[in-house]
Amino acid sequence: MLTGLSIRDVVLIEALDLSFSDGLGALTGETGAGKSILLDALGLALGVRADSGLVRQGAERAVVSATFDLPASHPVGLLLTESGLDAEPGEPLIVRRIVKADGGSRASVNDQPVSAALLREIGGLLVEIHGQHDDRGLLNAKGHRALLDSFGDIDLDGLARAWDAWRAAEDQLAEARAEVEEAERDRDFLDHAVKELRSLAPEAGEEDTLAEARAKMQKGDRIADDLTEIAELLDGSDGGLAKLRQAARRADRIAGEHEVLGEALAALDRALIEADLAEEKLAEASHILAFDPARLDEAETRLFDIRALARKHRVDPDALPALTEEMAAKLERIEAGGAHLAALEADVAAKRAAYVVKADAVSKKRTAAAKALDKAVAGELAPLKLDAAKFHTAVETLDDAQWTASGQDRVAFEISTNPGAPFGPLAKIASGGELSRFILALKVALAEQGGAATMIFDEIDRGVGGAVASAIGERLSRLAQGAQLLVVTHSPQVAARAGHQWQIAKSSDGLVTRTGVQRLDDGERREEIARMLSGAEITEEARAQADRLLEGV
């Protein structure tokens, strides 16, 4: 709900601060007083195209701020979150627009800068302005299907699920077809590659194992001669160990002759122990590093084959087993491709049929809802001086390519304003005054919920009076129940229906002309409605008639 509007330096408005309430509010005033300026200023705050011509003469810039109180569930909250803007639930929402006299503008929401495009999107969720040049809301055919579904209480959840299932099956079929076609193109290559891979049969981790074994065997090859020479130096009757043992035996015979000889014998014994250990370790090393040249050649050949195959397929050697299975699976799918595709095609056909069944059911409900809506709107036209007009909700079946999760129908609200005239879009057929009244009739018939927080009707009563104006006022009052609706009006019958009334007036001090807005109390409302009834000179009869209008609501 719009709760406040602050305007600075817009055309004839120097400074203006207004507060608003829910229900029906009327903006009245003499022709030329500046009612359109007020709407233009509000439009700026809601994101309409900025025009430096709106800046008051002599001012550097125009500033308009609009304050809204919105429920936590209002869609503006989600839009702000998705746009990365801070919005505290329960706190007022303030939209502001600054237009410079030399061109350019800035926009903000809760003091956070936003683009004009985002401000327009936010403004469209906050306020609906219905007038002669309105091309949004009910005039936008893109929203007519959703409005009809809401009117007919048509549930689209089942249809949407059927659509999603059908599209998922279509995607799966398309993917399978592309895969089979690609595999067919590569059939010869796949066949050769699988045979080559299976012939080599590489295993995960085998490259590391082979590389490690090859390195050990190569090391053994390098030191084999040294090990043999060392063994020859140690072993045999003339080897180092034999001579050391001989020396130990001779030392043993003379060790008792002197204690130093005993120490020498002990040292020889220790040397023999270490030499035996060395001989044991050398034998162990010879065994560990022993290699068969044939085995080395075999290991190298397999290692190089595995690496070459990995390079050929541009994968890591450890990925070759998985690649073998993947390629083999592709070959199998080629063989079973026809049957697999046939099964998928059957699944697509079944899911399409399920969607069509649900879509047909929705179409029937839409057709029935369209008839009910046509009847409801028709009942509103005559009291609004549109008795020669006809309203028609067109429900047209679309081509398959245009079907969506919402069904297979295009819905459009159409009118014919004269007997025998063809039906056409609202905005193209109706004149300014007719258009506003058609919108009002539709609003009342639809009993639309969940629209913008505030609705504004601009001179909906243009060119009518008496009973028609009274009918307009009654419908506006009904539509404003539990909501906020503002109407710019010249009709006393409409103004009398309002719960709140503001008078827009122009004043001049001889040098500067200004537009002001005053909220009227009960007595002031009586005088303003009397002026609307009688013109420049307010008569007692006009005041009496004003009293009757105010008492009759």
Side-chain angles (χ1 to χ4, degrees):
M1 180 181 71
L2 175 67
T3 58
L5 182 64
S6 174
I7 305 172
R8 296 292 183 272
D9 296 321
V10 175
V11 193
L12 299 180
I13 300 176
E14 185 174 5
L16 188 63
D17 294 292
L18 299 175
S19 60
F20 298 93
S21 307
D22 59 359
L24 178 60
L27 302 171
T28 63
E30 295 181 356
T31 301
K35 295 184 289 297
S36 62
I37 299 175
L38 199 64
L39 294 184
D40 287 342
L42 178 59
L44 273 181
L46 299 175
V48 301
R49 184 176 179 274
D51 183 354
S52 59
L54 291 174
V55 181
R56 188 174 64 86
Q57 186 174 4
E60 294 183 357
R61 62 181 188 171
V63 182
V64 183
S65 300
T67 303
F68 294 85
D69 279 340
L70 304 174
S73 60
H74 197 279
V76 163
L78 178 60
L79 178 58
L80 293 176
T81 300
E82 291 175 345
S83 302
L85 299 175
D86 296 330
E88 292 294 332
E91 292 295 318
L93 180 74
I94 303 173
V95 294
R96 179 176 291 111
R97 190 79 172 279
I98 300 173
V99 180
K100 297 180 181 179
D102 57 359
S105 69
R106 297 200 310 272
S108 66
V109 175
N110 287 350
D111 293 326
Q112 301 167 90
V114 297
S115 66
L118 178 57
L119 186 63
R120 276 194 300 273
E121 191 173 357
I122 293 171
L125 295 173
L126 294 172
V127 178
E128 291 180 17
I129 300 178
H130 297 294
Q132 296 185 59
H133 306 295
D134 181 38
D135 59 357
R136 300 163 297 170
L138 295 178
L139 300 187
N140 188 345
K142 291 181 179 179
H144 291 176
R145 183 170 60 191
L147 290 171
L148 180 63
D149 290 344
S150 177
F151 175 79
D153 196 21
I154 299 173
D155 186 1
L156 300 181
D157 288 347
L159 178 61
R161 286 193 297 271
W163 167 264
D164 290 341
W166 177 24
R167 301 323 303 169
E170 285 276 14
D171 291 343
Q172 189 177 1
L173 174 60
E175 184 179 341
R177 280 176 174 161
E179 188 175 293
V180 168
E181 289 173 3
E182 181 183 356
E184 280 287 358
R185 290 193 298 269
D186 299 335
R187 185 185 188 113
D188 291 341
F189 166 75
L190 286 171
D191 187 60
H192 170 77
V194 170
K195 287 179 180 177
E196 186 177 39
L197 285 163
R198 284 180 170 170
S199 175
L200 186 62
E203 298 178 359
E206 186 177 6
E207 187 218 13
D208 289 341
T209 301
L210 288 170
E212 183 180 353
R214 174 174 175 259
K216 286 181 179 179
M217 287 188 283
Q218 286 177 328
K219 185 185 296 184
D221 186 27
R222 288 195 304 272
I223 66 174
D225 292 342
D226 291 331
L227 289 174
T228 300
E229 186 174 341
I230 292 171
E232 290 175 352
L233 290 171
L234 291 176
D235 294 340
S237 58
D238 292 331
L241 281 174
K243 292 185 180 296
L244 189 60
R245 290 187 184 100
Q246 289 176 8
R249 286 194 296 271
R250 286 181 179 251
D252 183 54
R253 288 200 295 269
I254 62 174
E257 299 298 327
H258 194 278
E259 63 180 34
V260 175
L261 292 174
E263 291 175 359
L265 176 62
L268 285 171
D269 287 340
R270 291 196 299 273
L272 278 171
I273 292 171
E274 291 299 324
D276 287 337
L277 180 60
E279 184 181 36
E280 181 181 332
K281 293 300 180 182
L282 287 168
E284 184 180 348
S286 296
H287 176 74
I288 291 173
L289 296 174
F291 77 98
D292 181 354
R295 280 189 60 235
L296 175 59
D297 183 65
E298 179 184 338
E300 285 185 334
T301 299
R302 183 163 180 80
L303 177 62
F304 296 156
D305 286 345
I306 288 175
R307 286 175 174 174
L309 203 54
R311 286 194 301 271
K312 179 179 179 179
H313 293 287
R314 298 180 181 179
V315 297
D316 188 87
D318 284 346
L320 288 173
L323 180 65
T324 304
E325 296 305 315
E326 181 183 339
M327 289 184 166
K330 285 186 177 181
L331 272 177
E332 289 177 5
R333 284 196 290 272
I334 292 175
E335 299 299 331
H340 181 57
L341 289 180
L344 291 177
E345 287 168 353
D347 185 50
V348 169
K351 287 184 167 61
R352 180 187 187 279
Y355 168 82
V356 169
V357 168
K358 292 186 179 296
D360 286 344
V362 167
S363 295
K364 290 178 181 177
K365 290 179 181 178
R366 283 180 177 146
T367 300
K371 292 179 180 178
L373 180 59
D374 292 351
K375 183 177 180 181
V377 174
E380 299 292 335
L381 295 181
L384 297 176
K385 200 179 178 182
L386 294 169
D387 46 311
K390 293 182 179 180
F391 174 84
H392 173 61
T393 305
V395 181
E396 174 190 357
T397 302
L398 298 168
D399 295 334
D400 295 20
Q402 296 175 288
W403 293 356
T404 69
S406 297
Q408 55 192 13
D409 308 309
R410 176 187 290 116
V411 176
F413 298 153
E414 299 177 342
I415 62 169
S416 169
T417 55
N418 296 298
F423 283 93
L426 288 172
K428 293 184 179 181
I429 301 298
S431 63
E434 289 175 329
L435 183 57
S436 295
R437 297 201 299 279
F438 259 114
I439 290 172
L440 177 59
L442 261 174
K443 281 283 188 182
V444 173
L446 287 167
E448 184 185 354
Q449 300 296 322
T454 299
M455 288 181 286
I456 298 175
F457 282 86
D458 183 15
E459 298 190 359
I460 189 174
D461 48 16
R462 175 177 294 187
V464 300
V468 176
S470 180
I472 291 173
E474 188 275 330
R475 282 154 178 77
L476 289 171
S477 177
R478 194 193 324 164
L479 194 60
Q481 292 178 7
Q484 183 185 49
L485 193 153
L486 300 174
V487 56
V488 177
T489 181
H490 291 285
S491 168
Q493 291 91 342
V494 172
R497 286 279 182 176
H500 322 281
Q501 186 171 345
W502 293 263
Q503 183 185 38
I504 303 171
K506 188 185 297 183
S507 63
S508 175
D509 60 6
L511 296 174
V512 178
T513 301
R514 297 180 177 86
T515 289
V517 181
Q518 176 188 358
R519 184 161 182 163
L520 305 180
D521 59 25
D522 290 345
E524 292 166 335
R525 285 193 68 191
R526 174 177 179 262
E527 285 297 299
E528 172 63 4
I529 292 174
R531 180 200 63 77
M532 297 170 72
L533 286 165
S534 63
E537 183 180 349
I538 302 176
T539 64
E540 289 303 318
E541 175 57 31
R543 291 188 176 94
Q545 180 64 16
D547 288 336
R548 286 191 290 271
L549 286 176
L550 290 167
E551 291 169 0
V553 297

Short mmCIF file of all heavy atoms in Angstrom, two decimals, residues 31 132-133 384-385 431-434 436-437 458-465 468-469 472 488-491 494:
data_model
loop_
_atom_site.label_atom_id
_atom_site.label_comp_id
_atom_site.label_asym_id
_atom_site.label_seq_id
_atom_site.Cartn_x
_atom_site.Cartn_y
_atom_site.Cartn_z
N THR A 31 -10.12 21.45 -14.02
CA THR A 31 -9.32 21.09 -15.17
C THR A 31 -8.10 22.01 -15.25
O THR A 31 -8.22 23.22 -15.12
CB THR A 31 -10.15 21.22 -16.46
OG1 THR A 31 -11.28 20.35 -16.36
CG2 THR A 31 -9.32 20.85 -17.67
N GLN A 132 -5.61 6.25 -20.17
CA GLN A 132 -5.76 6.17 -21.62
C GLN A 132 -4.57 5.53 -22.30
O GLN A 132 -4.71 4.89 -23.33
CB GLN A 132 -5.96 7.59 -22.19
CG GLN A 132 -7.23 8.28 -21.73
CD GLN A 132 -7.39 9.60 -22.43
OE1 GLN A 132 -7.46 9.64 -23.65
NE2 GLN A 132 -7.43 10.68 -21.67
N HIS A 133 -3.39 5.69 -21.74
CA HIS A 133 -2.20 5.23 -22.43
C HIS A 133 -1.53 4.07 -21.71
O HIS A 133 -0.38 3.76 -21.97
CB HIS A 133 -1.20 6.39 -22.57
CG HIS A 133 -1.80 7.60 -23.23
ND1 HIS A 133 -2.24 7.59 -24.54
CD2 HIS A 133 -2.05 8.84 -22.74
CE1 HIS A 133 -2.73 8.79 -24.83
NE2 HIS A 133 -2.63 9.56 -23.76
N LEU A 384 -22.04 0.67 -17.05
CA LEU A 384 -20.90 1.56 -17.29
C LEU A 384 -20.99 2.25 -18.65
O LEU A 384 -19.99 2.75 -19.17
CB LEU A 384 -19.59 0.75 -17.20
CG LEU A 384 -19.28 0.12 -15.84
CD1 LEU A 384 -18.03 -0.73 -15.89
CD2 LEU A 384 -19.13 1.21 -14.77
N LYS A 385 -22.20 2.28 -19.22
CA LYS A 385 -22.45 2.91 -20.50
C LYS A 385 -21.61 2.28 -21.62
O LYS A 385 -21.09 2.94 -22.50
CB LYS A 385 -22.16 4.42 -20.43
CG LYS A 385 -22.85 5.22 -21.54
CD LYS A 385 -22.56 6.70 -21.42
CE LYS A 385 -23.22 7.49 -22.57
NZ LYS A 385 -22.92 8.93 -22.49
N SER A 431 -11.68 3.43 -26.94
CA SER A 431 -11.19 4.79 -26.77
C SER A 431 -10.74 4.97 -25.33
O SER A 431 -10.90 4.07 -24.50
CB SER A 431 -12.29 5.78 -27.09
OG SER A 431 -13.37 5.63 -26.17
N GLY A 432 -10.19 6.14 -25.01
CA GLY A 432 -9.63 6.36 -23.68
C GLY A 432 -10.61 6.10 -22.56
O GLY A 432 -10.35 5.32 -21.66
N GLY A 433 -11.79 6.76 -22.61
CA GLY A 433 -12.78 6.58 -21.54
C GLY A 433 -13.32 5.17 -21.52
O GLY A 433 -13.51 4.57 -20.46
N GLU A 434 -13.61 4.60 -22.71
CA GLU A 434 -14.11 3.23 -22.78
C GLU A 434 -13.10 2.26 -22.20
O GLU A 434 -13.47 1.31 -21.49
CB GLU A 434 -14.40 2.86 -24.23
CG GLU A 434 -15.61 3.56 -24.84
CD GLU A 434 -15.76 3.22 -26.31
OE1 GLU A 434 -14.73 2.98 -26.97
OE2 GLU A 434 -16.91 3.19 -26.78
N SER A 436 -10.78 2.63 -19.90
CA SER A 436 -10.73 2.64 -18.43
C SER A 436 -11.94 1.92 -17.86
O SER A 436 -11.82 1.18 -16.87
CB SER A 436 -10.66 4.07 -17.91
OG SER A 436 -9.46 4.70 -18.29
N ARG A 437 -13.10 2.12 -18.46
CA ARG A 437 -14.30 1.46 -17.94
C ARG A 437 -14.28 -0.04 -18.21
O ARG A 437 -14.76 -0.83 -17.39
CB ARG A 437 -15.56 2.12 -18.54
CG ARG A 437 -15.69 3.58 -18.15
CD ARG A 437 -17.11 4.10 -18.29
NE ARG A 437 -17.64 4.03 -19.63
CZ ARG A 437 -17.40 4.91 -20.61
NH1 ARG A 437 -16.58 5.93 -20.36
NH2 ARG A 437 -17.94 4.78 -21.79
N ASP A 458 -7.16 6.73 -13.76
CA ASP A 458 -7.02 8.13 -14.18
C ASP A 458 -8.20 8.52 -15.07
O ASP A 458 -8.32 8.07 -16.21
CB ASP A 458 -5.70 8.30 -14.93
CG ASP A 458 -5.45 9.75 -15.35
OD1 ASP A 458 -6.14 10.64 -14.82
OD2 ASP A 458 -4.56 9.97 -16.19
N GLU A 459 -9.11 9.36 -14.51
CA GLU A 459 -10.26 9.90 -15.25
C GLU A 459 -11.06 8.80 -15.94
O GLU A 459 -11.39 8.87 -17.12
CB GLU A 459 -9.79 10.95 -16.26
CG GLU A 459 -9.12 12.14 -15.59
CD GLU A 459 -8.86 13.30 -16.54
OE1 GLU A 459 -9.19 13.18 -17.73
OE2 GLU A 459 -8.32 14.32 -16.08
N ILE A 460 -11.39 7.76 -15.15
CA ILE A 460 -12.18 6.66 -15.67
C ILE A 460 -13.59 7.10 -16.03
O ILE A 460 -14.29 6.47 -16.83
CB ILE A 460 -12.21 5.52 -14.62
CG1 ILE A 460 -12.84 4.26 -15.21
CG2 ILE A 460 -12.96 5.95 -13.36
CD1 ILE A 460 -12.76 3.09 -14.28
N ASP A 461 -14.06 8.25 -15.47
CA ASP A 461 -15.42 8.72 -15.68
C ASP A 461 -15.50 9.78 -16.77
O ASP A 461 -16.50 10.49 -16.89
CB ASP A 461 -15.96 9.30 -14.37
CG ASP A 461 -14.97 10.27 -13.73
OD1 ASP A 461 -14.03 10.72 -14.42
OD2 ASP A 461 -15.14 10.56 -12.53
N ARG A 462 -14.45 9.91 -17.57
CA ARG A 462 -14.44 10.93 -18.61
C ARG A 462 -15.62 10.71 -19.58
O ARG A 462 -15.83 9.63 -20.10
CB ARG A 462 -13.13 10.91 -19.39
CG ARG A 462 -13.11 11.87 -20.56
CD ARG A 462 -11.76 11.88 -21.25
NE ARG A 462 -10.73 12.41 -20.37
CZ ARG A 462 -9.48 12.63 -20.78
NH1 ARG A 462 -9.14 12.37 -22.02
NH2 ARG A 462 -8.59 13.11 -19.94
N GLY A 463 -16.37 11.75 -19.82
CA GLY A 463 -17.45 11.71 -20.80
C GLY A 463 -18.73 11.06 -20.32
O GLY A 463 -19.65 10.83 -21.11
N VAL A 464 -18.83 10.72 -19.04
CA VAL A 464 -20.07 10.13 -18.53
C VAL A 464 -20.53 10.90 -17.31
O VAL A 464 -19.79 11.69 -16.72
CB VAL A 464 -19.87 8.64 -18.17
CG1 VAL A 464 -19.43 7.84 -19.37
CG2 VAL A 464 -18.85 8.50 -17.02
N GLY A 465 -21.73 10.66 -16.90
CA GLY A 465 -22.27 11.32 -15.73
C GLY A 465 -23.49 10.58 -15.24
O GLY A 465 -23.84 9.51 -15.74
N VAL A 468 -24.35 6.47 -14.81
CA VAL A 468 -23.11 5.78 -15.21
C VAL A 468 -21.99 6.12 -14.24
O VAL A 468 -21.25 5.25 -13.77
CB VAL A 468 -22.71 6.14 -16.65
CG1 VAL A 468 -21.38 5.49 -17.01
CG2 VAL A 468 -23.79 5.72 -17.61
N ALA A 469 -21.86 7.40 -13.92
CA ALA A 469 -20.83 7.81 -12.97
C ALA A 469 -21.07 7.17 -11.60
O ALA A 469 -20.14 6.74 -10.92
CB ALA A 469 -20.80 9.32 -12.84
N ILE A 472 -19.94 3.64 -11.80
CA ILE A 472 -18.48 3.58 -11.73
C ILE A 472 -18.02 3.73 -10.29
O ILE A 472 -17.17 2.97 -9.81
CB ILE A 472 -17.85 4.68 -12.61
CG1 ILE A 472 -18.10 4.38 -14.09
CG2 ILE A 472 -16.36 4.82 -12.33
CD1 ILE A 472 -17.66 5.50 -15.02
N VAL A 488 -8.48 9.51 -10.05
CA VAL A 488 -8.49 10.91 -10.46
C VAL A 488 -9.82 11.11 -11.19
O VAL A 488 -10.09 10.47 -12.19
CB VAL A 488 -7.31 11.21 -11.40
CG1 VAL A 488 -7.39 12.65 -11.89
CG2 VAL A 488 -5.99 10.96 -10.69
N THR A 489 -10.65 12.00 -10.65
CA THR A 489 -12.02 12.07 -11.16
C THR A 489 -12.54 13.50 -11.26
O THR A 489 -12.13 14.38 -10.50
CB THR A 489 -12.96 11.23 -10.27
OG1 THR A 489 -14.29 11.30 -10.79
CG2 THR A 489 -12.96 11.74 -8.84
N HIS A 490 -13.45 13.71 -12.20
CA HIS A 490 -14.21 14.95 -12.32
C HIS A 490 -15.67 14.71 -11.92
O HIS A 490 -16.48 15.62 -12.00
CB HIS A 490 -14.17 15.47 -13.76
CG HIS A 490 -12.83 15.97 -14.17
ND1 HIS A 490 -12.31 17.17 -13.74
CD2 HIS A 490 -11.89 15.43 -14.98
CE1 HIS A 490 -11.11 17.35 -14.27
NE2 HIS A 490 -10.83 16.31 -15.03
N SER A 491 -15.97 13.48 -11.51
CA SER A 491 -17.36 13.12 -11.24
C SER A 491 -17.67 13.24 -9.75
O SER A 491 -17.02 12.59 -8.92
CB SER A 491 -17.63 11.69 -11.71
OG SER A 491 -18.87 11.24 -11.22
N VAL A 494 -18.56 9.81 -8.27
CA VAL A 494 -17.41 8.96 -7.94
C VAL A 494 -16.71 9.48 -6.69
O VAL A 494 -16.37 8.71 -5.79
CB VAL A 494 -16.44 8.91 -9.13
CG1 VAL A 494 -15.14 8.21 -8.74
CG2 VAL A 494 -17.08 8.23 -10.33
#
